[in-house]
Amino acid sequence: MTRETLLEVRGLSKHFGGVIALDKIDFIVNRGDVLGVTGPNGTGKTTLFNLITGQVPPTSGEIFYNGTCILQQSPEWRVRAGIARTFQKTRLFYGLSVEENVRLGCYVHEPPGMKHVIFGSSRDESATQKERVAEILEMTGLDRYRSYPGSELSYGYQRRLEVAIALGSNPKLLLLDEPFGGQSAQSTTEMGRLIKSLQGQGLTIMMIEHRMESIVSYCNRLLVMRGGRIVIPTHRKEDRHAPN
Amino acid sequence: MEFLGQVFANGLFLSCLYALLALGTTLIFGVLRIGDLAQGALYALAGYLVFLGTKQWGLEYWLAATLAVVAVTLLSVLNGHFVYRRLRNLGIGQTFLGAVGLLIVIQNLLAIGFTWEPQAVRFPWGDALVQVGSIALLPQKISIIILAIAGLIGLWLFLRRSFIGKALRALAQNREAAQLVGVNASVVTALAFAIAGALSGSTGALMATVWPLTPYGGTLLVLKAFAITVIGMGQVRGAFIGALLVGMSEALVQGYWRAELSDLVPFVLLAGALILKPQVLGPEEDEKTNQLRSRTLPVFQTNGYLRYVPLVLAGLAVILPYFLPGQFWLHLAILAGINIIVVSGLDLLTGYAGIPSLAQAGLIGIGAYTSAILAMKLGWTFPLTLIGALIVTVGAASLIGLLGLRLKGRWTSFTFIMGIVIALFIANLGPFTGGTQGLIGVPFLTFDLPGLGKITLNPYRDKLAYFYLVLAFVVLALWLKSRIVHSRLGRALVAIREDDVLAQSVGISVEHHKLGAFLLSAAFASIAGSLYAHYLAYLNPDLFTFSQSFNLFVMNLIGGAATLLGAVFGPVALTAFAELTRSISGSIASIVFGILLIISLIYLPDGLTGMARKVWARLTVRSLRRSEPKSSKILEAEEAL
């Protein structure tokens, strides 16, 4: 079965001063994949995410998304193009309600321009926005907490809200940075259910995860990283002979 | 050659003077990451205490000076303990605002105690110039040089050799880590304040015999010291090198170019340092703490009866003049209206986007002066002067924004310095702005209506018409603000305030929006400036100093940041207060504003409107349920059952 490639990374490197965080890595992500990314701490997994979303510029290499090189594009452009992410350390708009958080997640679909500032959105446009927010709240099981401030939620719900915010931009590629990290057994199951349902909708997901059982349950492909390199699956001779 | 020697000696003296203050601010910068501007007021206070001791109580100069230094050191420690320590937990922006507040309060207390008239203290060793070769210097100036060198060596030894000095350096390097290994942060911080206070105090006591004593005498000095702290990258050695650089350049500019431009030197050097090395202002860890955060949830949609409050207020404003007892009250209403316009713009920047600015008065100044000059020199009429001023102000603001917004955590102090630079520029561009004398005879506001000819609004005769004109602009400003708040743009600003990294990852271009918010606030300020210039018919750089910016900030905060009506309540209440107390003393309002700001920063972060909203929420059942939700943990437990 050949599937369309969504993301292709070629020879991507990132050096922070003398530290080599990523060392010429190559891989591809096909549409509909749930790609697990694992490896010891400090091997550049989060750096890889930051490079894909454009928050950090790479030292060298190329990233192709949908067949075009996106290195010159701003992080905002990439969100519009369908790349969304969550963070390892939870990031929310803590002072705002759950609903407003998701509404901000839908930011790229808000009607732009001065016209809307002065005359406001039409009834249709605000209705569409509200529908989208309601849909996401329902999908993530957050609808009953819609008027709560983000800071009031329990940790498990905060993680889910993070995913909800990321879904707001209607992404094609979702990058999840340790979505199960630090969660109770119940929240883990619910997060897993959410990821399964997203996969069912055909969303492509890259997921940083440490626990093998989660990877086995949700991922169909796996990248194992070590010292800024991908060691499994490997294409490079020196990595193939590297000691385990 | 002789002249060069004299310039050099003078430069050395200035360098040492700046170094003495910069060493203190550098130490405090190390532990708090802010420039402690209150040291400038302490410097002036020490001078006045010496004045009091020698003139009123007949003490010996040296005894009076010692007592003054002790008192000032103590006050510095108290400031650190009661004000800065509490504000530091809230963030760097707040701590810096607290410093500005303290500066203004002490300075105005001095003005009430000793009047604004300059005073002088005699030096006990006489005023005979000491002749070294062809160079002549006052003995006091020589003692400043000796004090600075002794201070530097002493401080260097203390920081390098003593245990507690090492603790201080450790705290400056990494506060958390230092506390973890057992450094007592409060003691060490108090020590930094004590050293800084002693340095400012002894400098102030000596300088009282050189320069005339004024309540604001230390302000420009401490600003320069702060600039030097930044140029010296927060290091003691750097501060000394920075002080030498600034002092010598100032002496050269004074000696060989134009004396009045020398005050700009440190700020030009600072701007240069910032352009070349923006990281000089400290590590990025401070990135988030800069943001001012209101604890009120922003309301994207206003529901219920509250929706009609703005309409009712607008209606009341229209009939207001018929209930005002006299012309003076109409004058107050006009000033309040102008302030509402500025604060509405400032609130978009500060309340919504969480970016404080202390450059607003400078921006109003640019708008006012441009409008006035266009009317005076080119004979332009009103809508044109307004537009011209808008273009110039927004242009200047884009320069400030492009340069400063990269600085993140240091932005508040940067705007503060830029506000002062604008005022210095206005005061020094004599041919255009009338310099410190001011611009007299600004034409009244004139419309050139086709078919009707010219209509002039004389602010003395046509106050009522002027009131309605200002009211129209106020309504326009508030309407525009509310539109912006409820639009995509407003959401983006709130998102940036809450978390700028997440804001970027939902697709908001953070840099553009920050700049946009600043330019919007500048545009509002410029409109207010134009209205102000033609109303007063007289402009003076003193109208646009940092204490004006500070007042606007207090109006915003007291009224309630990130609320629509806060931008009305704050300016109305505080403008009325300031104008009504002016007949007793102009300083009263400044003191009250400063204290109000510090107290409200600590205890009332939501302002009056936030309080009113909470009360309203208590009164209405529906809101009550919303404002006190069941804890999500309870709901979760219910769900699990």
Side-chain angles (χ1 to χ4, degrees):
Chain A
M1 188 177 80
T2 53
R3 278 187 303 179
E4 212 183 322
T5 304
L6 183 61
L7 183 81
E8 182 173 1
V9 168
R10 283 192 209 152
L12 194 64
S13 295
K14 177 70 194 174
H15 301 183
F16 292 106
V19 181
I20 299 172
L22 282 180
D23 186 13
K24 298 194 199 108
I25 64 167
D26 305 274
F27 67 90
I28 55 173
V29 185
N30 293 322
R31 271 181 209 279
D33 271 350
V34 178
L35 177 67
V37 181
T38 193
N41 289 324
T43 43
K45 302 187 293 294
T46 299
T47 305
L48 175 62
F49 274 21
N50 289 340
L51 291 176
I52 295 174
T53 58
Q55 265 136 346
V56 178
T59 310
S60 64
E62 289 168 308
I63 301 173
F64 293 88
Y65 173 75
N66 253 343
T68 50
C69 182
I70 56 167
L71 277 189
Q72 298 308 315
Q73 307 294 352
S74 66
E76 303 88 65
W77 186 93
R78 298 184 201 195
V79 179
R80 261 167 221 287
I83 302 177
R85 75 171 294 182
T86 66
F87 292 85
Q88 186 176 357
K89 188 169 168 288
T90 318
R91 274 184 184 275
L92 299 174
F93 301 113
Y94 285 99
L96 307 187
S97 73
V98 168
E99 195 175 7
E100 284 163 341
N101 265 285
V102 178
R103 180 89 195 248
L104 279 174
C106 301
Y107 177 81
V108 292
H109 299 294
E110 298 264 355
M114 245 0 241
K115 201 187 107 211
H116 284 92
V117 172
I118 293 174
F119 300 108
S121 306
S122 71
R123 224 159 257 243
D124 282 355
E125 283 162 342
S126 7
T128 330
Q129 251 342 42
K130 276 195 183 134
E131 248 167 60
R132 184 194 297 277
V133 172
E135 212 174 279
I136 293 170
L137 285 174
E138 202 183 322
M139 196 199 312
T140 49
L142 287 164
D143 38 356
R144 60 186 305 189
Y145 307 111
R146 56 170 65 226
S147 58
Y148 282 51
S151 53
E152 293 276 305
L153 294 180
S154 68
Y155 182 67
Y157 278 97
Q158 286 185 343
R159 294 302 287 196
R160 258 199 267 174
L161 178 54
E162 232 193 332
V163 178
I165 294 173
L167 289 176
S169 64
N170 207 1
K172 298 186 183 67
L173 174 65
L174 181 61
L175 310 176
L176 301 174
D177 200 339
E178 299 194 21
F180 300 106
Q183 297 204 33
S184 68
Q186 199 201 339
S187 324
T188 309
T189 325
E190 278 167 15
M191 179 63 86
R193 216 179 288 151
L194 177 60
I195 291 175
K196 279 276 181 214
S197 87
L198 292 176
Q199 191 192 5
Q201 292 168 22
L203 194 60
T204 312
I205 298 174
M206 270 180 85
M207 181 169 104
I208 296 179
E209 186 49 47
H210 286 291
R211 277 180 302 190
M212 267 305 156
E213 64 260 44
S214 308
I215 292 172
V216 171
S217 334
Y218 305 110
C219 302
N220 64 342
R221 286 180 52 217
L222 178 64
L223 292 181
V224 182
M225 294 180 63
R226 188 170 178 179
R229 290 177 172 185
I230 295 173
V231 287
I232 303 170
T234 176
H235 309 287
R236 286 198 286 193
K237 248 191 190 157
E238 63 268 31
D239 288 333
R240 229 173 278 163
H241 300 294
N244 286 325
Chain B
M1 200 56 214
E2 236 171 68
F3 186 61
L4 180 66
Q6 190 63 45
V7 164
F8 179 78
N10 204 29
L12 184 66
F13 155 70
L14 282 177
S15 306
C16 288
L17 171 63
Y18 297 155
L20 278 170
L21 288 170
L23 288 177
T25 49
T26 299
L27 278 184
I28 294 177
F29 186 81
V31 292
L32 280 184
R33 303 264 156 226
I34 61 146
D36 179 16
L37 301 179
Q39 295 296 331
L42 295 180
Y43 160 96
L45 176 66
Y48 275 107
L49 289 177
V50 173
F51 171 73
L52 198 69
T54 51
K55 287 272 159 72
Q56 305 283 321
W57 302 336
L59 297 178
E60 280 284 315
Y61 171 81
W62 293 111
L63 180 60
T66 312
L67 290 178
V69 171
V70 171
V72 161
T73 305
L74 202 65
L75 189 58
S76 175
V77 174
L78 291 179
N79 279 349
H81 188 74
F82 287 108
V83 180
Y84 293 125
R85 199 174 54 102
R86 306 198 65 157
L87 289 176
R88 188 173 191 293
N89 301 330
L90 296 174
I92 287 193
Q94 282 88 335
T95 321
F96 185 75
L97 287 168
V100 181
L102 277 177
L103 172 70
I104 289 174
V105 169
I106 301 175
Q107 181 177 294
N108 281 286
L109 282 173
L110 287 177
I112 288 186
F114 299 94
T115 75
W116 293 101
E117 286 299 308
Q119 306 287 357
V121 176
R122 285 185 63 81
F123 194 57
W125 297 347
D127 287 336
L129 288 174
V130 177
Q131 203 78 26
V132 184
S134 59
I135 302 161
L137 266 185
L138 281 171
Q140 301 93 303
K141 293 193 175 181
I142 295 173
S143 55
I144 285 279
I145 295 172
I146 295 169
L147 184 67
I149 292 169
L152 180 75
I153 294 172
L155 202 60
W156 191 81
L157 285 177
F158 167 74
L159 287 175
R160 293 279 143 182
R161 296 292 159 88
S162 77
F163 181 74
I164 200 158
K166 282 178 190 160
L168 210 157
R169 283 197 297 146
L171 202 65
Q173 289 278 322
N174 186 332
R175 197 177 180 87
E176 279 69 35
Q179 283 175 312
L180 279 177
V181 299
V183 171
N184 185 336
S186 356
V187 170
V188 174
T189 306
L191 189 78
F193 274 98
I195 297 175
L199 285 169
S200 314
S202 39
T203 315
L206 274 174
M207 287 305 294
T209 64
V210 184
W211 288 340
L213 266 178
T214 54
Y216 49 83
T219 309
L220 193 56
L221 271 182
V222 79
L223 289 175
K224 290 180 180 178
F226 179 44
I228 289 167
T229 300
V230 173
I231 295 169
M233 302 178 75
Q235 301 287 322
V236 169
R237 196 178 5 167
F240 207 74
I241 295 169
L244 269 178
L245 193 67
V246 169
M248 288 298 172
S249 328
E250 275 195 32
L252 284 173
V253 171
Q254 271 172 14
Y256 288 100
W257 198 19
R258 292 174 57 186
E260 66 270 20
L261 289 184
S262 69
D263 281 340
L264 282 170
V265 166
F267 305 110
V268 171
L269 287 175
L270 174 70
L274 291 178
I275 294 167
L276 293 177
K277 269 181 108 69
Q279 68 272 35
V280 293
L281 282 171
E284 298 236 329
E285 46 152 337
D286 299 325
E287 192 183 324
K288 282 267 14 124
T289 41
N290 167 47
Q291 318 255 314
L292 274 183
R293 217 178 265 198
S294 151
R295 283 181 218 157
T296 325
L297 291 181
V299 181
F300 284 140
Q301 241 86 46
T302 317
N303 297 314
Y305 302 120
L306 285 179
R307 204 173 1 165
Y308 301 108
V309 173
L311 278 179
V312 173
L313 283 179
L316 285 177
V318 170
I319 52 169
L320 178 73
Y322 301 99
F323 294 95
L324 290 177
Q327 289 282 300
F328 174 69
W329 288 90
L330 204 52
H331 166 72
L332 272 189
I334 292 170
L335 288 187
I338 291 174
N339 282 336
I340 291 173
I341 299 173
V342 189
V343 173
S344 304
L346 182 63
D347 193 31
L348 284 174
L349 180 71
T350 303
Y352 285 91
I355 306 165
S357 163
L358 289 173
Q360 277 347 76
L363 295 172
I364 302 174
I366 297 180
Y369 268 94
T370 312
S371 207
I373 292 168
L374 287 177
M376 283 172 91
K377 308 246 153 140
L378 301 176
W380 289 15
T381 51
F382 180 62
L384 287 178
T385 56
L386 183 83
I387 294 164
L390 263 175
I391 294 171
V392 174
T393 313
V394 172
S398 13
L399 267 181
I400 296 175
L402 286 173
L403 186 60
L405 284 166
R406 294 182 305 165
L407 304 173
K408 298 183 175 169
R410 303 279 164 253
W411 160 258
T412 317
S413 9
F414 180 76
T415 57
F416 179 77
I417 291 172
M418 282 341 264
I420 292 181
V421 170
I422 293 173
L424 283 174
F425 259 108
I426 291 176
N428 287 310
L429 280 174
F432 287 102
T433 60
T436 45
Q437 299 297 310
L439 207 56
I440 299 158
V442 178
F444 298 144
L445 198 137
T446 308
F447 292 98
D448 198 358
L449 294 178
L452 287 168
K454 286 194 175 176
I455 298 176
T456 303
L457 287 185
N458 181 333
Y460 302 101
R461 260 196 355 243
D462 313 322
K463 266 209 167 54
L464 194 63
Y466 213 96
F467 171 82
Y468 283 116
L469 179 76
V470 171
L471 183 63
F473 275 100
V474 167
V475 170
L476 188 71
L478 288 174
W479 175 76
L480 193 62
K481 184 187 164 196
S482 97
R483 293 307 330 170
I484 289 171
V485 167
H486 292 111
S487 74
R488 177 175 122 118
L489 177 58
R491 283 171 215 284
L493 296 183
V494 171
I496 290 168
R497 179 188 77 201
E498 292 293 317
D499 188 329
D500 52 356
V501 176
L502 184 57
Q504 190 182 45
S505 81
V506 299
I508 296 166
S509 107
V510 174
E511 302 299 316
H512 291 151
H513 279 88
K514 281 183 174 176
L515 184 64
F518 184 58
L519 296 189
L520 265 173
S521 80
F524 280 57
S526 170
I527 292 171
S530 295
L531 291 171
Y532 194 56
H534 297 293
Y535 179 67
L536 282 193
Y538 160 76
L539 290 176
N540 175 322
D542 288 344
L543 294 169
F544 309 108
T545 57
F546 70 89
S547 43
Q548 215 44 45
S549 296
F550 182 77
N551 291 351
L552 292 165
F553 196 88
V554 177
M555 289 176 192
N556 187 208
L557 203 77
I558 296 289
T563 55
L564 184 63
L565 294 178
V568 178
F569 295 145
V572 168
L574 298 190
T575 309
F577 181 78
E579 293 298 317
L580 291 176
T581 52
R582 192 184 293 281
S583 55
I584 312 167
S585 161
S587 298
I588 293 180
S590 302
I591 294 170
V592 171
F593 283 13
I595 294 174
L596 265 184
L597 177 87
I598 294 170
I599 290 176
S600 63
L601 277 178
I602 299 177
Y603 296 107
L604 195 82
D606 297 342
L608 293 178
T609 315
M611 247 170 56
R613 195 185 280 165
K614 268 181 212 156
V615 172
W616 179 262
R618 293 279 135 99
L619 292 177
T620 53
V621 183
R622 205 162 55 94
S623 309
L624 187 70
R625 219 178 286 138
R626 227 183 322 151
S627 67
E628 288 174 6
K630 251 186 202 175
S631 156
S632 64
K633 279 151 202 149
I634 300 176
L635 279 181
E636 225 172 281
E638 282 173 4
E639 201 172 273
L641 290 171

